[in-house]
Amino acid sequence: MAAATGENGVSGAMAVAGGAQRSRGRPSRKEAEAIDRSVLEAARESFLAHGFTATTMDAIAARAGVTKATLYQRYDDKVAMLRAVLHERVAAWSAVSNRRAVNRGDTLDKRLEHYARSITRWSRDPEVRSFGELIRECWGTARAVAEEMQTIRVTRMLDVIEKDIREFGPKAGVTAANPRLIAELFLGMIGGVHRYLEDSGQADDQAVAQLCLNQAVNMFVAGKSAW
C-alpha cells in the first residue's frame, strides 16, 4: 500500500516531513504537526497491513518519510507507537459516535435501543474489525496495550450507559440498585445477540439483526423491576 494518499493529506505531510529533514533548524509548529500526522498514518497503515509483530520502527520511518531519529524523538518503541495509533483511532471513533448521539431519544428504552444499534454498527465497521484483529494479536505480543485498549473500549461504553440508567431509569419507574452492574449486563446481552447472529449465519442480515436487538432490549427493559 502506498503511504501517500490525497484524501487524508498524508502526501502533503510527508512532503513537509522531508523538508523538515533537509532543514538544519528545528521544524516549525506546522511542520512538526504535519510530521506527527504522517508518522501516525504510516504506523496505522503498517500495523494494519502487516500486524504488530511484523511491523518495524524502520519500516514506519521509511513509510512516513522521516529519519529513525525523528521517529524515536516522538516514540520510545513500537509499543508506544501502537498505543498512540490506537488512542488516535479511538478518539476519532468517539467523535463520530458523539455526532450520532443526537438521535439517542429521550427515554430509557430508546436510548438502550440506540446503544444496541450503535454497538452493532461499529462491530461491522471494516476499520474497527481490522483493529480488533490487531488487538487480538497484541494479547500475545503487547499485552499491556491490548488490555489498555480493551479497558478504554468497555469503560467508555459502560460509563455512558450507566449514566443514562441513572438519569432515565427513574423516569421509566425504576431506580437501579447497582446501575453499573445493569450496564455490564446490558453489554453482555448485546454481545450474546451478536454471537447468536454469527453462529446462525445471520450476522449480515440487517433486518434480522435489528429484530433480534429490539427484542433483546424489550425483554431487558421489561425486567426492570428486578434491577
Side-chain angles (χ1 to χ4, degrees):
M1 182 188 300
T5 61
E7 182 180 351
N8 55 24
V10 174
S11 56
M14 290 178 66
V16 172
Q21 289 183 59
R22 291 189 293 273
S23 173
R24 291 181 180 277
R26 292 170 60 87
S28 68
R29 179 177 178 180
K30 184 176 292 186
E31 290 172 335
E33 290 174 350
I35 293 171
D36 290 340
R37 288 194 299 271
S38 68
V39 166
L40 280 175
E41 181 71 12
R44 180 179 66 83
E45 292 177 349
S46 296
F47 285 134
L48 291 182
H50 307 294
F52 177 77
T53 302
T55 295
T56 65
M57 293 291 274
D58 285 5
I60 293 173
R63 193 170 198 133
V66 301
T67 64
K68 285 178 62 179
T70 296
L71 191 61
Y72 279 105
Q73 284 173 358
R74 287 162 168 77
Y75 304 101
D76 291 338
D77 52 31
K78 189 169 64 170
V79 172
M81 184 81 258
L82 174 64
R83 179 178 283 109
V85 168
L86 290 171
H87 276 282
E88 187 276 331
R89 285 291 83 200
V90 168
W93 298 333
S94 295
V96 173
S97 292
N98 289 337
R99 288 195 294 272
R100 292 172 176 167
V102 296
N103 299 317
R104 284 182 295 182
D106 56 3
T107 66
L108 182 62
D109 299 43
K110 293 298 182 183
R111 296 221 160 196
L112 293 180
E113 288 175 3
H114 167 80
Y115 297 134
R117 289 194 303 270
S118 179
I119 293 168
T120 302
R121 184 187 302 116
W122 281 116
S123 71
R124 292 172 175 163
D125 184 90
E127 184 182 56
V128 172
R129 293 175 73 95
S130 294
F131 271 98
E133 294 174 4
L134 177 62
I135 292 172
R136 280 191 288 275
E137 177 195 351
C138 291
W139 281 105
T141 54
R143 188 177 184 86
V145 178
E147 290 177 343
E148 181 180 339
M149 289 303 105
Q150 179 73 357
T151 298
I152 289 173
R153 182 182 69 84
V154 175
T155 300
R156 286 191 179 192
M157 195 74 249
L158 285 173
D159 288 346
V160 171
I161 296 173
E162 179 186 1
K163 179 177 179 295
D164 277 359
I165 290 173
R166 289 182 182 277
E167 180 178 351
F168 291 91
K171 297 177 183 179
V174 58
T175 300
N178 188 339
R180 190 67 169 193
L181 175 60
I182 300 303
E184 291 172 349
L185 292 173
F186 177 78
L187 283 186
M189 179 192 69
I190 298 303
V193 173
H194 289 166
R195 286 189 292 274
Y196 163 75
L197 292 170
E198 290 284 350
D199 292 345
S200 62
Q202 302 180 88
D204 294 328
D205 190 324
Q206 294 189 22
V208 172
Q210 192 59 59
L211 176 62
C212 290
L213 288 168
N214 287 343
Q215 288 180 333
V217 171
N218 289 339
M219 286 188 291
F220 189 82
V221 174
K224 63 180 180 292
S225 61
W227 293 8

